[in-house]
Amino acid sequence: MLRHIKNALFPFALVLAAFTGPFVLEPFDLVNLSAFSAMAIAALGLAFVWGTLGILNLGHSVFFGVGAYAYAITVSTFGDSTLAVLIGTMLPIVFSLVLGSCLFFSRLGDVYLGVITLCVTLIFYSFMTSTADPWFHIGPVPLGGFNGITAIPSLNVPGDPQAFLSTEATFSICLLALAGAYILLSLVRSSDAGRIMTAIRENELRSELLGYDIRFYKLLGFALSAAIAGFGGTLYTAVMGFVSPNVFDLPQASQFVLWVIAGGLGTFVGPVVASFAFQLLSCQLGANQVFNTELIFGATIVLFVLLAPQGLQPMIVRMANLKLTYRSGIFRRKEKPA
Amino acid sequence: MSGFPILATRGLVKRFGGVAAVDGVDLVVDAGEIRCLIGPNGAGKSTLFKCLTHQHQPTSGHVLFEGRDLQGLPTHLIARRGIAIKNQIPSIYANLDVRENIRLATLRRKLTKRELDRAVDLVLAEIGFDNLLAERPAATLSHAHRQWCELGMLLASDPRLALLDEPTAGMTREEMLRTVDIIKRLNATATVIVVEHDLEFIARLAQKVTVLHRGKVLVEDSMERIEANETVRDIYLGRKKDAAYAEG
């Protein structure tokens, strides 16, 4: 029971923030935090596929980007954002199933998988930057090359393309979506399928010898993470109003990895908190232009790997436990009798 | 199903480059047996086990399980047919607790939640783990307990045929005796083939012993007769020139 309450604490805080935020924050902050939430959702996808299933996907940003572009093109063509969000979530699933089939059925090792996925996202980057010619268009929407697609309509009331949501409502939706993604992934992780995925991360051979089809579970987890990333991409594009090939580039790809490492591999709360913290930092650094943002991030990732290789969340949990043990001393709760 | 031996191999060959680790093995094991497989290092025991579960693809020959050819099946489907294996190198979920290890092995059996919990508790009792031990990550267990944890996973998966590759390696005599009990329990519902070197262990378990040598079945008999067999003594001690060559 206690554990359930503890697990519900984080999504509850997000929901609380979703409803109180519009009353206490400036519109500028609301927009920023909406975008951060969208990014955090995508980061959760990586936290799941890497932390639970053990697939080091260095090109997680490709699904984020595909979702972002799919939203941009669909909403610019048809006008309704609901359909666009749906397509932006589904398309990465299809793409991940194709890519995943190639990767998992050929039984590639971890490192090769990371390298190939990273190459895939960079290929997308390279392609998208070379689409400046008006010949590259989908429907009425030109892909726009390096400049990407601009003036993308934001979220609207489902079914009514003219009724755009306010900044406040969009903020609430983004935070609720983050809470929803967190709950969904937590439920999947603690389900039987999720526990089998954990088992596959722990020991592939043993799982296979017990009769589990590891390729099936990897494909399943990969597709789920892609859907989450694509969903994050759609929200990000809806909030920002533009999308450019930068969603596929190296800094973007490495940021997701950085957040998961910093937050703690195998945890969900950590990567979300880390993604907010680093995006906030990035905003501040970008605003005063004193330091190179990437240099700072690079240094941070090195520091984390050296000093807190398990990431923030496990570190904090361990410190809290130590303190509790120390404080409660002899009054510590006895082990339940066998 | 009856009428067929539970396992039959026909001319099974596994080559690694120019070396035939398994060189035409014809092995027949009847349902309900505990069969011991012995042979000097390099005789092809572990390779044979890996061929049976398609961890290695056999170069040629057939494996018939309950009369059906396993050819072309991937490892996980062989496991689903009912063949469980403990490789020579222990393979458990080191960072998960013992109960979760056992539970993951039970999960494939399509039980209700209540039956599943009961089945896990039963297996934990059968391998002699109390609640305190069951909550520990498998990595923190002693060597023997890790072996038992893996045997427990085999028990929990309720196989028809269990292949055990050196289950008592590195155990004390007391631990070996406890392992004998666990394997006897396993044998109550499954046929067992076990690779071992410990003579007391073999004497306590096996009705029939198969000796492998240089990838081939050398002789198949009861333990007393095997112990008296001159050829077997020769290959173990490397007495003949020909046998010594095989060891190198």
Side-chain angles (χ1 to χ4, degrees), chain B residues 228-243:
Chain B
N229 188 313
E230 272 302 315
T231 327
V232 175
R233 285 169 174 260
D234 287 345
I235 63 161
Y236 260 96
L237 298 173
R239 253 188 288 200
K240 280 184 184 167
K241 196 182 166 212
D242 157 74

Side-chain angles (χ1 to χ4, degrees), chain A residues 63-64 66-72 74 82-93 226-234:
Chain A
F63 302 128
F64 178 81
V66 167
Y69 267 93
Y71 175 88
T74 315
T82 318
L83 178 72
V85 169
L86 208 67
I87 289 182
T89 311
M90 300 305 284
L91 201 62
I93 295 185
I228 298 285
F231 178 58
T234 64

Side-chain angles (χ1 to χ4, degrees), chain A residues 107 204-215, chain B residues 49-58 70-85 87 108 163:
Chain A
R107 294 177 178 269
E204 275 191 25
L205 177 64
R206 183 28 87 201
S207 310
E208 219 174 351
L209 293 176
L210 286 177
Y212 295 115
D213 187 348
I214 55 176
R215 291 162 303 183
Chain B
F49 270 15
K50 288 191 170 168
C51 284
L52 296 180
T53 47
H54 286 187
Q55 293 176 67
H56 290 324
Q57 288 302 323
L70 295 181
Q71 198 163 37
L73 283 185
T75 301
H76 71 272
L77 289 184
I78 291 181
R80 288 189 201 181
R81 288 267 176 99
I83 302 183
I85 181 166
N87 284 330
R108 274 218 46 77
L163 309 173

Side-chain angles (χ1 to χ4, degrees), chain A residues 302-333:
Chain A
V302 171
L303 280 179
F304 262 104
V305 170
L306 288 178
L307 300 178
Q310 286 186 304
L312 282 179
Q313 192 185 340
M315 198 174 79
I316 291 169
V317 167
R318 203 163 347 111
M319 273 157 64
N321 280 345
L322 270 179
K323 214 168 218 174
L324 273 179
T325 318
Y326 173 72
R327 278 214 196 121
S328 51
I330 53 165
F331 299 108
R332 192 149 53 114
R333 206 152 51 95

Side-chain angles (χ1 to χ4, degrees), chain A residues 192 195 203 206-207 211-212, chain B residues 80 85 91 93 100 104 150:
Chain A
D192 280 345
R195 288 160 86 162
N203 191 336
R206 183 28 87 201
S207 310
Y212 295 115
Chain B
R80 288 189 201 181
I85 181 166
S91 181
Y93 301 117
E100 183 70 8
L104 282 161
E150 192 167 6

Side-chain angles (χ1 to χ4, degrees), chain B residues 110-129:
Chain B
K110 309 275 173 263
L111 303 172
T112 64
K113 198 175 177 308
R114 200 198 266 136
E115 287 169 337
L116 183 73
D117 288 340
R118 204 175 300 162
V120 171
D121 285 335
L122 187 67
V123 169
L124 285 170
E126 280 167 347
I127 57 173
F129 279 45

